[in-house]
Amino acid sequence: MDVEEKIKLITRNTEEVVTVEELRDLLIRGEKLEGYLGYEPSGLFHIGWMVWAYKAKDLVEAGVNLRLLEATWHAWVNDKFNGNMQVIKDDAKYIRHSLKAIGIPVEKIKFIDAEDLVSDKDYWALLLKVAKNTTLARAKRTLTIMGRKEEEAELDSSKIIYPFMQATDIYYMGLNIALGGIDQRKVHMLVRELAEKVGAKKIVAIHTPLLTGLQGSGRAGGGSSKDEIMSEVKMSKSKPESTIIIHDSPEDIREKIMNAYCPKQVVEFNPIIEINKYLLFSQDNFSLYVERPSEYGGPIEIYSYDELERMYLKGEIHPLDLKKATADALIKKLEPARKYFEDNKEAKELALKIASELKIEINL
Ligand SMILES: Nc1ncnc2c1ncn2[C@@H]1O[C@H](COP(=O)(O)OP(=O)(O)OP(=O)(O)O)[C@@H](O)[C@H]1O
Ligand SMILES: N[C@@H](Cc1ccc(O)cc1)C(=O)O
């Protein structure tokens, strides 16, 4: 793959890359691309996560040396599983299985437990350096990266340390690429700004779009920037009613999709449109078969997202027909993952354990 082909693969289906010029520069200079993405192991794998997982796969294919950071300590600070570290660690194992189940080449990725970073005193020395160079106001504004509002650090000041930890993760591992959903933007910008001061490389930040929760944008509150608005309305493991998880049965998926927000001729914050854009058409060789009634033009096969969007905006595809077609396509897409969890004993036991911790019923 030449430089431009790599750039195309790395930047496709992203919300933004800060900056493409810097990425090109790294590639032209032949620097090894050292990348990562972190997640809190604190729930069942929902389809929103497939957006970054597919991007992780692209990065691996483009030759990035990719790590996935199991942010166990961060999840603990963020009160996940009531601070039960054993369950957080089991969830991390479960997520590895989930990634494999959806077809991510896990054997080419290095998984790192945050425990391995925080057990080195140099990590904390670096963290203090980051904190020394950041105002409290800035740190508070960055709390959206952990799904929290500024006020939430008032009662529990460990939360204010979280953004410093996330920044330190990046410096400590000596990375030049950080991947995350657009809700992680604020910390990546901080990391870029402070790089010189802490003597680290300046990262290229790659941000993937966030899939809106099934209820649409009804929850959007006072956020002003795109990352703030999206972090409120995104599909999230903390809001099970808004999510489709990879273990949902075909019947569950159909029912959830049929009940989802999908306004006629509107594509913004429309989760059904976004499932098509970010999960289905984003992958090679996909086409959507829509069974339209004959008075609306009859059945049609759609070959690109742009074509779908154009027709939907014009009212040529009715939400109901789109929902049915999307449910069928998503059920098909998740079939291998269902099968993986049915067949793999360890994966199944872990999934059931996590589900029972969360008091969520799954049928495997
Ligand atoms: N709905 C979504 N669509 C796409 N990416 C998402 C979505 N939700 C989270 N992500 C991305 O997944 C990664 C891990 O996020 P995180 O652990 O916060 O997941 P979450 O489901 O939002 O959970 P929580 O509710 O605990 O915040 C981040 O890079 C984040 O941007
Ligand atoms: N803040 C991320 C998780 C994360 C934690 C540590 C990191 O270094 C990176 C990512 C989230 O909640 O989505």
Side-chain angles (χ1 to χ4, degrees):
M1 233 183 276
D2 69 22
V3 168
E4 290 310 315
E5 281 166 343
K6 283 186 183 173
I7 291 177
K8 202 166 163 207
L9 186 57
I10 293 173
T11 60
R12 74 169 182 171
N13 307 318
T14 58
E15 186 80 29
E16 64 170 2
V17 173
V18 191
T19 68
V20 178
E21 292 66 35
E22 290 169 14
L23 174 65
R24 181 173 286 111
D25 194 47
L26 287 174
L27 286 164
I28 290 173
R29 281 193 282 120
E31 277 209 29
K32 184 76 198 135
L33 297 182
E34 302 288 351
Y36 105 122
L37 172 134
Y39 48 79
E40 290 181 14
S42 58
L44 294 168
F45 203 103
H46 62 78
I47 59 169
W49 278 26
M50 289 166 72
V51 180
W52 63 252
Y54 287 157
K55 182 46 56 191
K57 188 173 172 206
D58 285 346
L59 296 193
V60 170
E61 268 169 36
V64 176
N65 187 17
L66 191 72
R67 300 144 185 83
L68 288 179
L69 177 69
E70 299 169 336
T72 49
W73 273 50
H74 312 65
W76 184 86
V77 169
N78 208 0
D79 304 325
K80 301 297 167 70
F81 290 126
N82 296 317
N84 186 333
M85 194 53 118
Q86 188 49 52
V87 184
I88 293 173
K89 295 213 172 204
D90 285 341
D91 196 71
K93 275 195 224 154
Y94 152 81
I95 291 170
R96 290 187 197 191
H97 278 294
S98 303
L99 287 164
K100 192 167 176 199
I102 61 164
I104 306 303
V106 288
E107 65 292 348
K108 295 188 183 146
I109 295 174
K110 185 161 184 222
F111 288 84
I112 299 177
D113 184 339
E115 184 95 36
D116 299 338
L117 310 190
V118 302
S119 53
D120 182 352
K121 74 174 173 23
D122 292 349
Y123 177 90
W124 297 100
L126 198 49
L127 182 139
L128 289 176
K129 225 171 173 181
V130 176
K132 271 226 167 287
N133 286 288
T134 312
T135 63
L136 184 57
R138 177 89 185 260
K140 278 188 179 171
R141 281 203 303 278
T142 310
L143 289 175
T144 43
I145 63 160
M146 61 189 295
R148 301 278 177 184
K149 299 207 165 62
E150 291 192 20
E151 316 79 79
E152 290 184 85
E154 300 295 336
L155 289 176
D156 165 6
S157 51
S158 74
K159 297 216 164 52
I160 208 69
I161 303 173
Y162 186 117
F164 299 134
M165 289 179 73
Q166 190 161 333
T168 306
D169 298 337
I170 295 174
Y171 297 136
Y172 182 85
M173 289 189 279
L175 307 174
N176 52 18
I177 296 223
L179 169 64
I182 188 80
D183 58 341
Q184 305 300 307
R185 182 175 213 276
K186 285 199 166 68
V187 71
H188 291 161
M189 291 304 152
L190 181 70
V191 167
R192 282 171 55 83
E193 267 173 63
L194 297 186
E196 211 176 316
K197 283 204 172 119
V198 304
K201 293 177 200 160
K202 191 167 174 188
I203 52 157
V204 171
I206 301 173
H207 297 142
T208 42
L210 296 177
L211 183 61
T212 302
L214 297 176
Q215 284 105 339
S217 61
R219 293 167 175 273
S224 52
S225 58
K226 179 144 195 197
D227 61 316
E228 283 169 9
I229 297 169
M230 280 313 299
S231 58
E232 284 184 53
V233 305
K234 69 176 187 175
M235 185 175 284
S236 137
K237 51 185 150 59
S238 314
K239 300 176 239 152
E241 71 292 351
S242 77
T243 66
I244 294 176
I245 54 171
I246 59 170
H247 316 295
D248 278 334
S249 66
E251 298 72 40
D252 292 338
I253 296 175
R254 205 163 272 125
E255 194 183 327
K256 287 184 178 182
I257 289 194
M258 294 317 278
N259 291 328
Y261 174 79
C262 183
K264 204 173 172 182
Q265 291 180 271
V266 175
V267 296
E268 286 85 25
F269 297 115
N270 180 331
I272 307 306
I273 285 285
E274 289 179 3
I275 289 172
N276 279 284
K277 184 172 184 186
Y278 304 146
L279 301 180
L280 301 173
F281 284 105
S282 69
Q283 302 306 295
D284 298 333
N285 305 320
F286 175 78
S287 65
L288 185 73
Y289 178 70
V290 185
E291 187 93 65
R292 273 187 315 190
S294 53
E295 64 267 38
Y296 298 114
I300 183 174
E301 185 107 23
I302 301 175
Y303 290 93
S304 73
Y305 173 73
D306 289 347
E307 193 186 344
L308 171 67
E309 183 177 301
R310 195 173 37 74
M311 294 182 77
Y312 194 74
L313 285 172
K314 281 207 263 171
E316 290 171 7
I317 294 180
H318 189 274
L320 197 63
D321 297 329
L322 178 68
K323 282 180 170 182
K324 285 187 192 148
T326 306
D328 286 344
L330 189 62
I331 289 166
K332 193 165 163 215
K333 174 147 228 126
L334 294 178
E335 186 55 41
R338 276 190 67 72
K339 184 145 180 31
Y340 178 95
F341 275 90
E342 274 165 17
D343 296 347
N344 185 309
K345 192 164 171 277
E346 185 190 65
K348 184 174 175 170
E349 278 172 13
L350 283 166
L352 291 170
K353 178 167 183 202
I354 301 302
S356 111
E357 287 289 336
L358 297 165
K359 302 191 175 45
I360 293 175
E361 228 180 281
I362 53 172
N363 295 312
L364 285 178

